[in-house]
Amino acid sequence: MALFLCVLFLLLSSASACDRCLHQSKAAYFSKASALSAGACGYGSLALGLSGGHLAAGVSSLYKDGAGCGACFQIRCKNSTLCSSEGTRITLTDLNHGNETDFVLSSRAFMAMANKGMGRDILKLGIVDVEYKRIPCEYKNQNLAVRVEESSQKPNYLAIKLMYQGGQTEVVAMDVAQVGSANWNFMSRNHGAVWDTSRVPNGALQFRFVVTSGFDGKWIWAKSVLPADWKTGVIYDSGVQITDIAKEGCSPCDDSHWR
């Protein structure tokens, strides 16, 4: 237990960056959104349904070893001739291995930063100066969902993918148990948004998550998620949604000029 609490403290500490502050960087784009949907977060084609296809690969400090998967950002380019003051919302679905830009966007997201009728003009630039900040994800009438991955093999192995995580938070730990049981087994992050375990309880399954909100964290309990006859490739409603907004562990920042 002491070891678990120590690891949990380190996980919470790693999520204390000032996400809500404005960051200055550059952004490029992929010509095909499929390049991002096939990315490190493991969303696959489901990524194309996030943020209207406004997807992004983020550098390691944003990807956070997969904890940053599904995070939402507001981003705008700084070319006042071509770009709108509002910019666009994006969802992180991949890891950007380069170091020239913080983000590589889908072409749809890249064009959405432009003023009306100037989308093609901004594409010609290839790379633009941007500023961005993290914002809460909003999925109206949509709970946090769990997709059972095709690699799962009952009763020896279970891999699940978390979808539609709301708020401005990160899932940093996860347990599974049979519904009605207090015998919890921990799950490990396989990659991106995918968690797995080789200790699969029998029967219907419940989950609990450790969710960070900046320097703080709490448990979220989904009491009945997977039925006893769960099947691979199926998305199950968790019955809960995460709406927490990050608490910052740093000095307040001024982003008033964004508005």
Side-chain angles (χ1 to χ4, degrees):
M1 175 61 72
L3 177 60
F4 173 78
L5 292 175
C6 180
V7 172
L8 181 57
F9 173 78
L10 291 174
L11 289 170
L12 294 177
S13 298
S14 68
S16 62
C18 303
D19 282 336
R20 285 184 295 185
C21 292
L22 280 178
H23 300 271
Q24 311 293 324
S25 184
K26 296 179 182 293
Y29 73 93
F30 281 119
S31 58
K32 294 183 178 180
S34 58
L36 292 169
S37 64
C41 289
Y43 292 126
S45 60
L46 294 174
L48 299 176
L50 302 174
S51 299
H54 291 193
L55 311 178
V59 290
S60 59
S61 60
L62 299 174
Y63 180 74
K64 301 180 181 178
D65 292 325
C69 288
C72 298
F73 297 85
Q74 191 78 15
I75 185 171
R76 66 182 180 186
C77 59
K78 298 173 69 175
N79 184 320
S80 58
T81 302
L82 294 178
C83 304
S84 70
S85 60
E86 180 180 358
T88 191
R89 299 166 67 100
I90 56 174
T91 300
L92 194 149
T93 60
D94 196 4
L95 172 63
N96 173 19
H97 295 279
N99 57 12
E100 294 183 357
T101 67
D102 278 12
F103 286 111
V104 179
L105 308 180
S106 62
S107 57
R108 180 177 297 182
F110 201 79
M111 293 174 67
M113 293 190 295
N115 287 317
K116 186 175 180 180
M118 293 186 173
R120 294 295 175 184
D121 295 313
I122 193 175
L123 285 181
K124 293 176 182 178
L125 297 179
I127 297 178
V128 294
D129 292 318
V130 298
E131 55 185 9
Y132 67 89
K133 62 179 179 179
R134 189 167 176 187
I135 58 174
C137 297
E138 297 179 356
Y139 296 104
K140 295 180 180 179
N141 303 316
Q142 175 69 67
N143 288 328
L144 178 70
V146 170
R147 183 186 188 276
V148 179
E149 298 295 91
E150 282 77 5
S151 58
S152 299
Q153 296 182 348
K154 190 187 295 185
N156 301 314
Y157 179 71
L158 173 66
I160 63 170
K161 177 160 55 196
L162 300 182
M163 300 287 301
Y164 313 120
Q165 179 182 336
Q168 188 177 327
T169 58
E170 292 153 12
V171 174
V172 296
M174 185 172 177
D175 293 338
V176 60
Q178 185 181 61
V179 171
S181 171
N183 185 21
W184 292 94
N185 295 328
F186 74 90
M187 301 186 72
S188 301
R189 188 186 299 278
N190 182 289
H191 68 280
V194 178
W195 295 75
D196 65 2
T197 181
S198 57
R199 302 175 63 189
V200 186
N202 294 321
L205 301 181
Q206 59 179 330
F207 297 94
R208 63 182 183 182
F209 316 90
V210 176
V211 177
T212 66
S213 300
F215 61 83
D216 200 3
K218 70 176 185 180
W219 287 98
I220 299 289
W221 184 13
K223 298 183 179 181
S224 182
V225 183
L226 299 189
D229 61 343
W230 55 262
K231 295 177 174 58
T232 62
V234 177
I235 298 176
Y236 295 93
D237 190 331
S238 73
V240 299
Q241 182 51 280
I242 302 169
T243 57
D244 298 71
I245 306 298
K247 299 176 182 178
E248 301 296 359
C250 58
S251 301
C253 53
D254 179 17
D255 64 351
S256 58
H257 69 283
W258 180 286
R259 302 181 185 92

